[in-house]
Amino acid sequence: MTQKPWLKNYPAHVAWDQKFDAKPLYTLVDDAAAEFGDCVAYDFMGKETTYNDLLQQVNRMARGLQDIGVGKGVHVGIFMPNCPQFSVAYFGILKAGGTVVNYSPLYSEQELINQVEETDTDIMITLDLAALYPQMEKVCQKSRLKHLVVDRFCNALPFPKNLLFRFLKSSMTASVVKDRYYISYEKLMDNEGNVDPVNIDVMEDVAVIQSTGGTTGIPKGAMLTHSNLFTNVLQLEAWAVGLRPGQEVAPGFLPFFHVFAMTVLMNLSIRLGAKVVIMPKFELEAAMKMIKKYKPTLFAGVPTMFTAMLNHKDIHNVGIECIRVCLSGGAPLPVDLGQAYKEKLGLCISEGYGLTESSPVCGANPFDRETRYGSIGLPMPGTELIIVDREDPLKEMPLGEHGEICIRGPQVMKGYYKRPEATAEVLIDGMFRTGDVGYMDEDGYTYIVDRDKDLVLVGGFNVYPRTVEEAIYQHPAVNEVTVIGVPDEYLGERPKAFVSLKNPDEPLTEAELMAFIHDKLGKHERPKAIEFRKELPKTMIGKLSKKELVAEEREKYEKLKASA
């Protein structure tokens, strides 16, 4: 029987064993319009969309999609940055009975083609931006795509910005080819919004096929059902303290196509009737101005975002105290960073934990007490976090001992699309095997040591990159750090650190940093080398990315071997 040490320490306002009544995911918009119809759902560069407006647009999108054949079993892709059209397309696809497939604007042409083929995407919705349309138009020519629905980006802008964009930013707009693939977004939406009802089986019908593993392995499509995603929203709503429906304001920095923002920012905000101030991407100066102007109360971010803000000269003058609920996810939150926010700004960042396969949130630090920095907190209501033997997943580890973190809960995916073998490898006895290594303490708090796939084997000894990263983060000059394994002729592998500094004009040498961490790490954990860079590679969500560095080091090693 699974240990549940978290029960003795669970927040008083949350029942861990509560049951959740899931509904079709698109009903989030229906319910929000019924309760918060005149409230602003989105503010995009000054143009406001109310919940009534949003529902009307979603209904017209759904009707238009049904008219071109969308229904159960039809997969429709979204290839957009953050903008109101993203949300309209997302819920319109669901209401039409289709399945959403999210596409990253950072993907190469070949990666997009691969995803289209692997997920059986038949229709794509995008914008006429030069950064998007030309690439997707080529994908149409080389893949199974049947239709490409294109909207004009300027339609999302308020007057007179929409006109100024067309004339002053014309280089950012692509020339759209009205070929056999092309469907006008405006024409698709030109209807009364009379949607044919679709009978959704919330437990079985897949709402979203979400790509996973793109930064560290071959991407797979996680099948997230209506129940998985709707339940995760309800779990988050139950977890947070003092939420005020119809009154909250959230910054929309994180990309909606990423599972973290999709649930924690887009879906949860609609459930709460919150106003989301949308920004196409996170830019530090614009973000600081937005916080000062809009006084957000809900804030979801990633560690790199929090690092950039903390180092900004105006961080004490933007009114950051307006944030009441603050959640960090997407990557481990450095202990020193969380403590700095608490000590310098009085802001308590709750570190959460999740994966694409769990919709994504499965654990978080409670909001009714001090965050335990370094821990991912307690399981979400209705969720079990289980530490198992990495060789025998049916054997649970004693408290305090390292093992693989597994998840059992209603937010866990149905499986990987068309990948039965990969599904069988990770879904065992009703649990999802995360591949993350960690332990649970006697209070039920879980701590991640590292990811199995990032493990560095140094002469047979396990070295966890996060251990090395936390030691380097303790140096006051360090801004960001990521650690990977690099080949070593004698030991097989050694860790190598890549570091960016808070102030590049105040140099820190490799020898000085090596000396600083010398007594903080074991001999086998010390980096083979430390390389300083102005910036470290990141994913679209702002998470530090290792894959580019791994590829660089592998290429260097191969060239060295070839020349030897």
Side-chain angles (χ1 to χ4, degrees):
M1 184 176 179
T2 304
Q3 307 171 81
K4 299 183 179 66
W6 58 81
L7 290 179
K8 63 184 179 183
N9 204 30
Y10 218 62
H13 69 285
V14 184
W16 175 80
D17 59 353
Q18 64 185 288
K19 305 298 181 185
F20 296 98
D21 183 20
K23 298 193 296 184
L25 192 58
Y26 65 79
T27 62
L28 287 173
V29 179
D30 295 343
D31 294 343
E35 188 172 356
F36 313 108
D38 293 329
C39 294
V40 175
Y42 296 124
D43 183 311
F44 185 62
M45 299 187 181
K47 184 175 181 177
E48 295 184 340
T49 302
T50 68
Y51 278 99
N52 281 332
D53 296 333
L54 179 60
L55 177 59
Q56 291 173 9
Q57 292 179 48
V58 166
N59 286 342
R60 293 202 299 272
M61 170 62 70
R63 177 68 265 171
L65 290 173
Q66 288 181 335
D67 288 342
I68 62 171
V70 174
K72 280 196 175 186
V74 178
H75 299 173
V76 184
I78 303 176
F79 187 55
M80 297 185 192
N82 285 8
C83 58
Q85 293 102 315
F86 186 104
S87 191
V88 171
Y90 180 93
F91 290 103
I93 295 165
L94 298 176
K95 200 161 196 175
T99 296
V100 173
V101 186
N102 285 319
Y103 284 77
S104 169
L106 287 185
Y107 274 6
S108 68
E109 180 183 317
Q110 189 57 53
E111 286 174 317
L112 293 169
I113 292 171
N114 292 344
Q115 189 177 355
V116 166
E117 298 298 329
E118 290 169 4
T119 60
D120 294 332
T121 301
D122 287 327
I123 300 169
M124 188 71 67
I125 305 175
T126 190
L127 301 170
D128 65 348
L129 292 174
L132 298 177
Y133 172 78
Q135 191 175 32
M136 192 52 67
E137 206 276 331
K138 291 178 183 177
V139 172
C140 284
Q141 308 290 337
K142 302 175 183 179
S143 72
R144 61 174 285 134
L145 280 178
K146 298 178 178 66
H147 300 298
L148 181 58
V149 180
V150 185
D151 191 21
R152 296 187 298 171
F153 178 74
C154 63
N155 287 343
L157 302 175
F159 179 84
K161 288 181 181 178
N162 54 352
L163 297 179
L164 293 173
F165 183 85
R166 293 174 64 182
F167 293 107
L168 301 181
K169 301 286 186 179
S170 58
S171 62
M172 296 178 64
T173 303
S175 178
V176 175
V177 180
K178 297 181 180 179
D179 54 14
R180 63 189 178 93
Y181 301 102
Y182 171 79
I183 293 178
S184 164
Y185 183 100
E186 292 170 276
K187 186 175 180 180
L188 186 82
M189 297 281 283
D190 186 13
N191 61 72
E192 298 299 320
N194 300 317
V195 185
D196 292 335
V198 180
N199 183 25
I200 299 294
D201 182 337
V202 296
M203 301 300 292
E204 293 296 326
D205 289 344
V206 178
V208 176
I209 297 177
Q210 188 74 22
S211 181
T212 180
T215 59
T216 51
I218 299 173
K220 299 181 287 291
M223 296 186 290
L224 303 177
T225 66
H226 285 262
S227 179
N228 291 152
L229 291 163
F230 197 98
T231 298
N232 206 215
V233 170
L234 298 182
Q235 290 171 314
L236 288 164
E237 182 183 31
W239 192 250
V241 177
L243 291 173
R244 303 166 302 175
Q247 300 180 49
E248 307 292 358
V249 179
F253 302 135
L254 299 173
F256 290 165
F257 66 78
H258 189 279
V259 69
F260 180 36
M262 179 178 69
T263 292
V264 178
L265 176 56
M266 185 172 71
N267 292 347
L268 179 61
S269 293
I270 291 175
R271 171 72 179 181
L272 298 173
K275 176 165 75 173
V276 178
V277 183
I278 298 178
M279 298 182 69
K281 63 179 180 179
F282 178 77
E283 294 177 332
L284 181 57
E285 294 301 329
M288 300 300 281
K289 291 178 182 177
M290 190 281 287
I291 292 172
K292 190 170 186 177
K293 178 179 179 180
Y294 287 94
K295 299 293 187 288
T297 58
L298 301 180
F299 196 104
V302 293
T304 53
M305 187 184 296
F306 287 115
T307 298
M309 290 170 53
L310 184 67
N311 294 331
H312 193 278
K313 58 182 176 58
D314 292 330
I315 187 63
H316 292 280
N317 303 315
V318 295
I320 203 161
E321 64 275 2
C322 60
I323 298 172
R324 298 169 49 252
V325 175
C326 189
L327 183 67
S328 175
L333 181 72
V335 173
D336 287 355
L337 180 60
Q339 291 174 338
Y341 264 88
K342 179 63 178 175
E343 294 167 4
K344 297 179 180 180
L345 300 167
L347 180 63
C348 187
I349 301 174
S350 172
E351 181 174 3
Y353 172 65
L355 302 96
T356 301
E357 294 90 341
S358 59
S359 301
V361 186
C362 52
N365 275 268
F367 289 103
D368 65 345
R369 67 195 71 166
E370 290 288 322
T371 291
R372 295 194 185 185
Y373 293 108
S375 170
I376 60 171
L378 308 176
M380 287 284 102
T383 305
E384 295 176 74
L385 293 181
I386 307 159
I387 313 297
V388 303
D389 189 301
R390 281 179 281 169
E391 303 301 323
D392 180 6
L394 298 181
K395 177 184 176 183
E396 190 170 353
M397 299 298 290
L399 295 177
E401 293 195 18
H402 291 189
E404 182 177 0
I405 301 172
C406 292
I407 308 163
R408 184 184 286 125
Q411 70 273 54
V412 172
M413 69 172 183
K414 185 177 182 178
Y416 294 121
Y417 185 66
K418 296 197 305 186
R419 298 282 188 95
E421 293 181 0
T423 299
E425 289 177 3
V426 298
L427 292 180
I428 298 175
D429 192 32
M431 302 184 303
F432 171 65
R433 300 185 64 176
T434 68
D436 289 345
V437 181
Y439 66 93
M440 184 177 292
D441 67 17
E442 294 183 352
D443 293 328
Y445 280 77
T446 297
Y447 297 79
I448 293 179
V449 178
D450 225 310
R451 290 195 63 85
D452 251 345
K453 62 183 70 175
D454 292 339
L455 193 70
V456 183
L457 287 172
V458 181
F461 290 95
N462 293 347
V463 173
Y464 299 107
R466 187 175 182 183
T467 302
V468 184
E469 290 164 357
E470 288 290 358
I472 294 173
Y473 266 124
Q474 292 179 43
H475 195 288
V478 170
N479 182 46
E480 292 178 329
V481 58
T482 192
V483 171
I484 65 170
V486 296
D488 184 88
E489 292 294 336
Y490 179 62
L491 294 170
E493 276 188 307
R494 293 277 302 279
K496 178 177 179 179
F498 295 82
V499 175
S500 68
L501 300 175
K502 293 177 181 176
N503 185 357
D505 295 329
E506 296 180 9
L508 175 68
T509 68
E510 181 181 20
E512 289 170 339
L513 188 51
M514 285 286 197
F516 177 80
I517 62 175
H518 187 273
D519 61 352
K520 297 175 175 62
L521 298 169
K523 183 177 180 180
H524 64 296
E525 295 175 320
R526 294 170 194 152
K528 179 178 184 177
I530 298 175
E531 183 176 325
F532 295 95
R533 295 194 175 189
K534 184 178 179 180
E535 291 184 357
L536 302 183
K538 296 181 178 67
T539 66
M540 182 70 174
I541 196 175
K543 176 181 177 180
L544 290 169
S545 180
K546 298 178 187 285
K547 71 174 183 177
E548 294 86 354
L549 301 173
V550 170
E552 285 180 27
E553 292 299 318
R554 185 184 298 118
E555 184 178 356
K556 286 182 189 177
Y557 182 69
E558 293 300 329
K559 287 182 177 179
L560 189 63
K561 282 175 57 179
S563 62

